[in-house]
């Protein structure tokens, strides 16, 4: 059951990350002078977390060109290298896109990203920035995130709990109704 | 009839608080009639199904253990809240429709006491729902040490929400023309208050979204419980989140009791 | 305004102090939107009376009782119940017992439980309340249904239980709003007997609202007739009938060969008369005026016949009942 969605998820996440790069490469080759570079750097390159924990990191976007840049869009991508792990980036962070209104030549801005570790496994997070449709895309280096083993509910002896509790209430209800019937 | 039997019965103002007498009778009506236990049976059945699926079904077992505890907490708070608001919403309009309100209004008991007694009975359903959720919370969270904090937090936040919903129900039922209207209105208010918590996170951005979430006692209380259970925060770490539910509960109960004097046989009349 | 005082069949109330009238209203008015349900009602009812409150459907009887028992507020006017002003509703509630019209009953409670609850709500201690409940159930003939759920009681039993509930606070004034509504003749008889007994044994003032005139004639000392929210008749039964000037019918039986002479004689004395329509050749029907005591008008008619030498074989007076007066003062009004 889990294999197909997991693989689809991996595929989707990978495509989401790779497509802009490929498209950007093509765009760069076609355009006359390639747009001046924007650089993206993360404040950490590795992190560990337990399932359910939240982690926070920052990306610094720098305008390395001599022209002011406006309308920059930064996007966080989350993917896994394990084909058996399903990643839906939406579950990890509700805000995966941020906007930079204006960046003067040589200026930098810092963007903060919050994610919650939903699934255990090896994950890669990176931030990519572009300024316009079909424009070049700059990506940060990867943040290698290792999410520890997931604690799942032990299904042993669950039947005792799920049967006996309602049964107890049912017995009480029965006794109450019998008592009530005596008053008829 | 003899003189002895004609003498007025022994009455004393200080003998019993009228609200306590009302509460006792309402509790008897609710629990000894089997109505309370029947809804508790439905509650435990729902918890059993959820727990069984969490424990045995692969897809649901995908939930991390703390999230499974959080789900149980949410189900308990939602079911408890629903039961409380429905019983509170029946308190006056139900009596009015069954023709039993007039005899209560003919007693010298302050109308506020009638409402308090009925509110206590409504609250008892929350306490019942909470108590019955404890074994499930213990079983699901026993390996991650969340039981104590989850139980205490659920009791705290859930009780505030239940008090708030009791106030909502009592206020609506006092002025409703019919019991159906009272129940429907209270139910939709409950859904309306629960809805912001279900909004996508994107919707909570901006001042409007943030204000809505901050003012919604449900969202605040459920966020408190989420942080307590999933993020393993301490009981006191996010207490400010319970300020809104506490203020909302105090406010609406005060309003309901302040307007109790306008409780009449015929709504909008008197 | 008429002063209604205790009549025959009343036993003065028990040991409680009895000062002032049981009921006193001045300009009592209540409207529902544009409709005036009770219109400037003036009443003065002395203690110990069983008062019949009559009126067609929608006459304002229930609204009047609800105002007097402080369940509804009045729009205008003032009243006192058992000497307590309407501005002190809690004290009034302590002094009155009410069987509301179409009262509902908590089906899931036992008779004892319900009475005990109401006694406790009147401030009676739990143990005393239980003893009181048992005693009252005995009084209304439900001692063997003490532990029965109210849901299992017949309508008549429920009404008797309701009357017991109206007595938990040992009231000075008891309002019974349509207590026999929906009961079979046996149930009606039981409830009326109970009301009579309560009035006698408890020495309370009873206000019996009904539109069953027989009930009023059977057990009430006084009667107030309401129509369209106004008091249209007020007094003892005889006074109400007389004031309503309801005509009576006299039935005269004479030898068949004397009937023509009898008719002529009555016509000469201005007594409206006509031959009886039941085929009996000696029957004569005559109309007696309602504003004269029936014994006087009958005597006058008989005297003129005897003076004229008409042999009278039999004479009876019909009509002049409360129902005639009721129909006359209400002119057949009502909701239904």
């Amino acid at each position: 059951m889990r294999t197909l969605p997991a693989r689809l998820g991996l595929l989707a996440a990978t495509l989401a990350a790779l497509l802009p790069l490929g498209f950007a490469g093509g765009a760069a080759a076609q355009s006359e002078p390639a747009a001046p570079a924007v650089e993206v750097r993360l404040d950490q390159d590795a992190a560990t977390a337990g399932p359910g924990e939240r982690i926070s990191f920052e990306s610094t976007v720098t305008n390395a060109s001599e022209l002011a840049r406006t309308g920059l869009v930064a996007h966080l991508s989350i993917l896994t290298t394990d084909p058996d792990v399903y990643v839906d980036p939406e579950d990890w962070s509700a805000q995966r896109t941020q906007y930079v209104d204006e960046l003067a030549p040589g200026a930098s801005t810092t963007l903060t990203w919050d994610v919650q570790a939903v699934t255990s496994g090896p994950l890669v997070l990176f931030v990519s920035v572009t300024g316009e449709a079909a424009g070049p895309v700059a990506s940060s280096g990867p943040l290698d995130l290792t999410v520890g083993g997931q604690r799942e509910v032990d299904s042993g002896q669950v039947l005792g709990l799920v049967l006996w509790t309602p049964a107890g209430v049912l017995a009480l209800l029965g006794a109450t109704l019998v008592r009530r019937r005596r008053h008829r | 009839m003899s003189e002895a039997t004609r003498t007025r019965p022994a009455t004393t103002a200080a003998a019993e608080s009228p609200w306590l007498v009302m509460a006792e009778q309402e509790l008897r009506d609710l629990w000894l009639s089997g109505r309370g236990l029947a809804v508790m049976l439905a509650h435990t059945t729902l918890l059993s199904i959820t727990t069984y699926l969490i424990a045995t079904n692969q897809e649901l077992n995908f939930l991390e253990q703390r999230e499974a505890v959080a789900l149980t907490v949410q189900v308990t708070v939602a079911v408890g809240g629903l039961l409380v608001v429905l019983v509170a919403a029946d308190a006056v309009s139900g009596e009015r429709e069954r023709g039993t309100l007039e005899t209560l209004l003919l007693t010298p008991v302050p109308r506020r006491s009638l409402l308090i007694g009925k509110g206590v009975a409504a609250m008892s359903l929350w306490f019942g729902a909470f108590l019955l959720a404890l074994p499930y919370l213990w079983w699901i969270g026993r390996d991650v040490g969340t039981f104590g904090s989850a139980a205490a937090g659920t009791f705290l936040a859930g009780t505030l929400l239940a008090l708030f919903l009791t106030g909502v129900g009592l206020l609506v039922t006092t002025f409703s023309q019919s019991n159906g209207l009272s129940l429907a209105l209270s139910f939709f208010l409950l859904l309306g208050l629960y809805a912001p918590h279900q909004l996508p996170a994107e919707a909570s951005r901006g001042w409007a979204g943030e204000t809505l979430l901050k003012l919604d006692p449900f969202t605040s209380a459920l966020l408190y419980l989420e942080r307590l259970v999933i993020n393993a925060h301490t009981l006191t770490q996010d207490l400010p989140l319970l300020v809104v539910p506490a203020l909302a509960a105090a406010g609406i109960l005060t309003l309901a009791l302040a307007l109790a004097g306008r409780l009449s046989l015929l709504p909008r009349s008197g | 305004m008429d002063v209604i005082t205790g009549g025959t069949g009343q036993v003065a109330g028990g040991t409680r102090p009895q000062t002032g009238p049981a009921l006193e209203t001045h300009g009592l008015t209540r409207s529902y939107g544009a409709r005036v349900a009770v219109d400037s009602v003036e009443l003065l009812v002395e203690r110990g009376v069983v008062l019949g409150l009559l009126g067609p459907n929608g006459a304002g009887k229930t609204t009047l009782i609800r105002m007097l028992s402080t369940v509804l507020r009045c729009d205008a006017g003032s009243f006192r119940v058992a000497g307590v002003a309407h501005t002190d509703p809690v004290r009034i509630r302590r002094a009155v017992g009410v069987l509301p019209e179409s009262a509902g009953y908590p089906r899931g409670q036992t008779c004892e439980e319900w009475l005990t609850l109401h006694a406790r709500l009147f401030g009676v201690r739990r143990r005393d309340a239980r003893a009181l409940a048992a005693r009252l159930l005995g009084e209304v003939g439900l001692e063997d249904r003490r532990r029965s759920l109210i849901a299992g009681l017949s309508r008549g039993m429920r009404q008797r239980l309701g009357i017991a509930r109206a007595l938990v606070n040992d009231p000075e004034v008891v309002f019974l709003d349509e207590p026999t509504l929906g009961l079979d003749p046996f149930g009606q008889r039981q409830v009326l007997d109970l009301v009579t007994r309560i009035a006698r044994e408890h020495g309370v003032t009873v206000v019996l609202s009904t539109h069953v005139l027989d009930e009023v004639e059977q057990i009430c000392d006084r009667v107030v007739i309401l129509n369209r929210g106004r008091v249209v008749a007020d007094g003892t039964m005889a006074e109400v009938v007389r004031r309503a000037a309801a005509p009576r019918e006299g039935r005269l039986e004479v030898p068949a060969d004397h009937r023509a002479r009898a008719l002529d004689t009555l016509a000469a004395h201005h007594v409206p008369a006509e031959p009886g329509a039941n085929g009996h050749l000696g029957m004569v029907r005559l109309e007696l005026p309602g504003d004269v005591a029936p014994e006087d008008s009958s005597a006058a008619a008989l005297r003129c016949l005897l003076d004229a030498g008409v042999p009278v074989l039999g004479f009876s007076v019909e009509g002049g009942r409360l129902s005639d007066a009721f129909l006359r003062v209400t002119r057949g009004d009502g909701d239904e």
Side-chain angles (χ1 to χ4, degrees):
Chain A
M1 283 289 282
R2 197 186 298 172
T3 315
L4 182 60
R7 288 193 172 153
L8 285 175
L10 175 66
L11 183 64
T14 310
L15 284 176
L18 295 181
L19 270 178
L21 289 176
F23 193 77
Q30 287 167 9
S31 57
E32 286 296 312
V38 171
E39 292 174 0
V40 194
R41 268 194 213 91
L42 301 185
D43 65 342
Q44 48 193 292
D45 55 13
T48 57
E53 278 183 32
R54 288 177 188 276
I55 60 161
S56 184
F57 63 95
E58 288 178 349
S59 63
T60 305
V61 180
T62 307
N63 181 3
S65 73
E66 293 175 356
L67 296 171
R69 296 295 306 268
T70 55
L72 292 175
V73 183
H75 185 82
L76 170 67
S77 297
I78 303 163
L79 55 96
T80 176
T81 52
D82 183 344
D84 287 332
V85 175
Y86 169 68
V87 174
D88 182 351
E90 246 186 35
D91 293 343
W92 286 69
S93 174
Q95 192 188 22
R96 285 175 298 112
T97 302
Q98 297 190 54
Y99 300 89
V100 180
D101 290 337
E102 189 169 357
L103 209 52
S108 296
T109 186
T110 302
L111 304 172
T112 304
W113 305 91
D114 293 310
V115 293
Q116 182 176 23
V118 173
T119 323
S120 57
L123 292 121
V124 176
L125 285 73
F126 63 90
V127 174
S128 34
V129 177
T130 186
E132 59 212 53
V137 177
S139 287
S140 70
L143 165 59
D144 292 318
L145 176 65
T146 306
V147 180
Q150 181 163 317
R151 284 176 302 231
E152 291 178 1
V153 178
D154 176 8
S155 60
Q157 297 176 333
V158 69
L159 277 178
L161 173 77
V162 301
L163 291 180
W164 281 112
T165 315
V169 178
L170 185 63
L172 266 178
L173 176 61
T176 308
L177 293 180
V178 166
R179 177 187 167 279
R180 189 179 149 90
R181 193 151 295 169
R182 278 200 214 122
H183 288 304
R184 281 190 197 283
Chain B
M1 178 179 281
S2 68
E3 287 297 309
T5 54
R6 207 186 294 149
T7 308
R8 274 182 181 282
T11 62
T12 164
E16 292 176 291
S17 299
W19 71 267
L20 215 54
V21 176
M22 269 311 290
E24 184 192 319
Q25 188 58 49
E26 291 292 322
L27 288 169
R28 289 174 70 93
D29 284 352
L30 184 61
W31 293 98
L32 294 183
S33 69
R35 275 191 304 144
L37 285 168
V39 292
M40 287 302 117
L41 180 63
H43 174 52
T44 52
T45 305
L46 179 65
L47 283 177
S48 284
I49 291 170
T50 316
T51 306
Y52 183 75
L53 291 176
I54 287 172
T56 58
N57 184 288
Q58 276 200 325
E59 289 305 315
L60 284 173
N61 207 2
F62 182 70
L63 288 170
E64 198 269 333
Q65 196 160 355
R66 283 179 171 275
E67 286 184 329
V69 176
L71 177 69
T72 308
V73 165
Q74 276 190 17
V75 168
T76 304
V77 170
V79 171
L82 176 71
L83 298 179
V84 164
V85 81
L86 291 183
V87 168
D90 175 81
V92 175
S93 47
E95 297 266 12
R96 201 181 273 137
E97 214 153 87
R98 292 186 286 273
T100 46
L101 182 63
E102 190 165 357
T103 51
L104 287 177
L105 297 183
L106 284 164
T107 64
V109 173
R111 288 162 193 198
R112 185 176 297 142
S113 297
L114 297 178
L115 282 192
I116 293 175
K118 286 174 173 294
V120 168
M123 281 297 292
S124 73
L125 282 172
W126 154 248
F127 294 119
F130 169 73
L131 280 177
L132 285 171
L134 289 179
Y136 296 90
L137 286 177
W138 170 79
W139 190 84
I140 296 169
R142 67 195 194 279
D143 294 336
V144 283
T146 57
F147 174 69
S149 62
T154 305
F155 182 78
L156 186 62
T159 302
L160 289 177
L161 285 181
L163 283 169
F164 170 71
L165 290 170
T166 300
V168 168
L170 291 179
L171 198 58
V172 170
T173 193
T174 301
F175 297 102
S176 286
Q177 294 280 356
S178 73
N179 203 29
L181 176 70
S182 176
L183 292 173
L185 199 58
S186 303
F187 182 65
F188 281 112
L189 275 172
L190 175 70
L191 285 184
L193 291 164
Y194 197 70
H197 181 251
Q198 302 302 313
L199 286 176
E202 291 294 338
S204 66
R205 311 217 182 278
W207 70 268
E210 279 179 17
T211 309
L212 176 70
L213 294 188
K214 274 181 191 162
L215 291 181
D216 177 29
F218 262 82
T219 306
S220 310
L222 291 175
L223 191 59
Y224 170 84
L225 289 171
E226 253 175 43
R227 292 188 183 168
L228 181 76
V229 177
I230 296 178
N231 304 125
H233 285 191
T234 63
L235 272 172
T236 53
Q237 208 169 336
D238 298 300
L239 271 186
L241 282 172
L242 294 184
V243 169
V244 167
L247 287 178
I252 199 132
L253 281 171
T254 307
L255 186 65
L257 297 180
L259 294 177
R262 295 174 66 178
L263 191 167
S264 68
L265 190 61
L266 314 168
R268 295 191 203 167
S269 157
Chain C
M1 181 166 52
D2 287 322
V3 177
I4 303 172
T5 53
T8 53
Q10 283 305 301
V11 173
T15 55
R16 64 171 69 94
Q18 298 196 341
T19 51
L23 282 177
E24 191 180 354
T25 72
H26 299 287
L28 202 55
T29 301
R30 167 79 196 202
S31 303
Y32 298 108
R35 190 173 72 83
V36 182
V38 170
D39 192 358
S40 310
V41 166
E42 302 277 338
L43 280 180
L44 186 60
V45 183
E46 290 300 335
R47 293 182 187 247
V49 168
V50 178
L51 172 73
L53 184 59
L54 288 172
N57 291 327
K61 306 186 294 289
T62 296
T63 300
L64 179 61
I65 287 179
R66 282 178 171 168
M67 280 193 287
L68 294 176
S69 57
T70 76
V71 168
L72 279 184
R73 291 198 183 94
C74 55
D75 295 337
S78 63
F79 63 90
R80 296 179 87 86
V81 179
V84 184
H86 75 285
T87 48
D88 192 351
V90 172
R91 273 187 64 208
I92 288 184
R93 279 179 230 149
R94 288 193 180 280
V96 303
V98 185
L99 174 70
E101 183 198 22
S102 310
Y105 295 85
R107 300 169 57 83
Q109 289 178 23
T110 64
C111 299
E112 181 186 49
E113 211 175 359
W114 192 54
L115 291 186
T116 304
L117 166 71
H118 279 271
R120 288 174 71 196
L121 290 176
F122 274 97
V124 182
R125 287 191 195 88
R126 184 196 299 262
R127 198 187 305 157
D128 297 333
R130 211 167 282 156
L132 176 64
R135 179 168 68 75
L136 289 173
L137 285 170
E139 271 193 46
V140 300
L142 290 172
E143 56 271 62
D144 55 334
R145 307 305 293 260
R146 200 158 62 99
R147 300 259 166 112
S148 296
L149 288 177
I150 295 175
L153 301 186
S154 69
R155 192 174 166 81
M157 287 176 177
R158 285 186 202 179
Q159 289 298 75
R160 282 188 276 146
L161 179 66
I163 292 172
R165 194 210 56 79
L167 299 175
V168 289
N169 54 326
D170 193 21
E172 294 177 48
V173 182
V174 174
F175 296 96
L176 304 171
D177 196 355
E178 305 277 8
T180 56
L181 193 68
L183 300 187
D184 60 29
F186 180 68
Q188 288 179 8
R189 186 71 261 160
Q190 277 187 316
V191 167
L192 291 179
D193 287 347
L194 181 59
V195 174
T196 312
R197 191 151 47 81
I198 286 165
R200 192 171 56 240
E201 294 180 355
H202 287 252
V204 295
T205 306
V206 176
V207 177
L208 174 72
S209 158
T210 181
H211 55 241
V212 182
L213 304 172
D214 281 351
E215 292 178 357
V216 175
E217 286 185 320
Q218 284 172 49
I219 67 170
C220 294
D221 311 303
R222 296 291 185 269
V223 62
V224 165
I225 302 179
L226 280 184
N227 191 38
R228 296 174 185 265
R230 287 179 167 275
V231 175
V232 291
D234 182 349
T236 64
M237 222 79 66
E239 286 168 345
V240 167
V241 169
R242 192 176 67 243
R243 282 181 206 152
R248 294 147 199 266
E249 186 183 275
R251 290 194 177 200
L252 178 70
E253 191 182 350
V254 295
D257 54 343
H258 284 80
R259 186 162 76 171
R261 198 149 61 91
L263 286 168
D264 292 344
T265 306
L266 288 169
H269 287 82
H270 308 292
V271 178
E274 59 184 32
N278 64 352
H280 191 294
L281 294 176
M283 284 302 283
V284 174
R285 285 172 51 206
L286 49 145
E287 191 179 300
L288 302 174
D291 53 352
V292 178
E295 54 273 22
D296 294 341
S297 55
S298 318
L302 287 173
R303 196 175 303 119
C304 72
L305 288 170
L306 294 173
D307 288 349
V310 178
V312 175
L313 302 176
F315 182 76
S316 63
V317 179
E318 292 185 354
R321 290 171 56 111
L322 185 58
S323 53
D324 302 313
F326 179 83
L327 289 172
R328 201 166 172 87
V329 297
T330 60
R331 292 177 180 83
D333 284 345
D335 281 352
E336 294 162 7

